[in-house]
Amino acid sequence: MKKNIVVMGAGGHAKVCIELLRTMGENVACCIGGPDSPPTCLYLPVLKGDENLALLRSQGYSRLFIAIGSNKIRGRLGALALEQGYQLINAISPHAVISPSARLGFGVAVMAGVVINAETRIGHLSIINTSASVDHDCQIGQVVHIAPQCALSGNVAVGNYSFLGIGSKVIPDVNIGENVMIGAGSVVISHIETGVTAMGVPAKRVILHP
Ligand SMILES: CC(C)(COP(=O)(O)OP(=O)(O)OC[C@H]1O[C@@H](n2cnc3c(N)ncnc32)[C@H](O)[C@@H]1OP(=O)(O)O)[C@@H](O)C(=O)NCCC(=O)NCCS
């Protein structure tokens, strides 16, 4: 079995994840990208097409990190990779501060400058992006993306596949449902139902491009 990691994704988010994996002392073998990906990503070869996942598995690779910002695509590829027997590893920056009582799933990215406080749970395949803070007792679901500079107060819940745009803030004890989109810079002061897009200060439900 090969120890080197395969990175799924070859864009900007993948670059950050590759450097993060390297700071963890890991070696990345190559990236898997789409048809329009560049031929290399941070000097690593980019294999084009999802079919390379199965090919690399047959060649003995078993450790994978999915470095794709889109929740929908990350979730789909995560399921595919698990079916093929990959281990989805975590990419955790040594410059993040994570409470010893926090619990993280697999396939999680935690970028530099992040703070995750006591008894918070982060679900599989979620991204806690650069300098975000997730305070005590938060429940972050699976395949969630908390963008850079977000601040979640204590006891906030975020449902599976939700996305919090850059710099958004959430006051304590708020529940955000599944598949929610919170616009950049919003301040969430009340519960947000599943499937809703909300934005602004305070964040209000909107219907974009009806
Ligand atoms: C919410 C969002 C997804 C909407 O994008 P969109 O569908 O392309 O929407 P548009 O840019 O066409 O804007 C639609 C309307 O919403 C308003 N709007 C868009 N984003 C807003 C925001 N974050 N806060 C307040 N209003 C916003 C626009 O001003 C526009 O208003 P108008 O119709 O009165 O002119 C996007 O603006 C956003 O905030 N994305 C977050 C990106 C991010 O944080 N990425 C992090 C990557 S790590």
Side-chain angles (χ1 to χ4, degrees), residues 7-158:
V7 166
M8 192 97 204
H13 180 64
K15 288 183 190 171
V16 179
C17 294
I18 290 164
E19 290 191 335
L20 202 161
L21 288 163
R22 286 175 176 159
T23 63
M24 291 167 64
E26 298 279 7
N27 284 316
V28 179
C30 60
C31 296
I32 301 176
D36 300 330
S37 296
T40 59
C41 180
L42 285 182
Y43 309 106
L44 293 169
V46 177
L47 310 178
K48 297 188 181 189
D50 294 353
E51 62 278 12
N52 287 291
L53 203 54
L55 183 72
L56 290 169
R57 186 75 190 93
S58 71
Q59 292 173 0
Y61 290 95
S62 63
R63 303 176 73 219
L64 183 77
F65 187 79
I66 304 180
I68 292 175
S70 156
N71 289 343
K72 199 172 164 193
I73 299 173
R74 196 168 66 261
R76 177 177 68 75
L77 292 172
L80 182 65
L82 287 173
E83 268 172 34
Q84 296 181 2
Y86 276 101
Q87 178 195 0
L88 301 180
I89 61 157
N90 287 348
I92 312 287
S93 171
H95 305 293
V97 178
I98 302 178
S99 156
S101 60
R103 292 289 170 265
L104 272 52
F106 55 72
V108 168
V110 178
M111 306 307 196
V114 162
V115 178
I116 297 175
N117 272 339
E119 296 205 334
T120 276
R121 287 180 183 271
I122 312 286
H124 306 316
L125 289 162
S126 286
I127 301 169
I128 313 298
N129 220 323
T130 312
S131 292
S133 69
V134 184
D135 224 290
H136 62 88
D137 300 298
C138 288
Q139 304 288 331
I140 310 300
Q142 299 184 17
V143 204
V144 166
H145 186 166
I146 309 286
Q149 299 273 353
C150 284
L152 279 60
S153 322
N155 206 30
V156 167
V158 181

Side-chain angles (χ1 to χ4, degrees), residues 129 145 147-148 163-167 181-186 197-200 208-209:
N129 220 323
H145 186 166
F163 170 77
L164 274 62
I166 190 162
M181 154 89 75
I182 302 293
S186 301
T197 296
M199 58 175 71
L208 287 173
H209 320 296

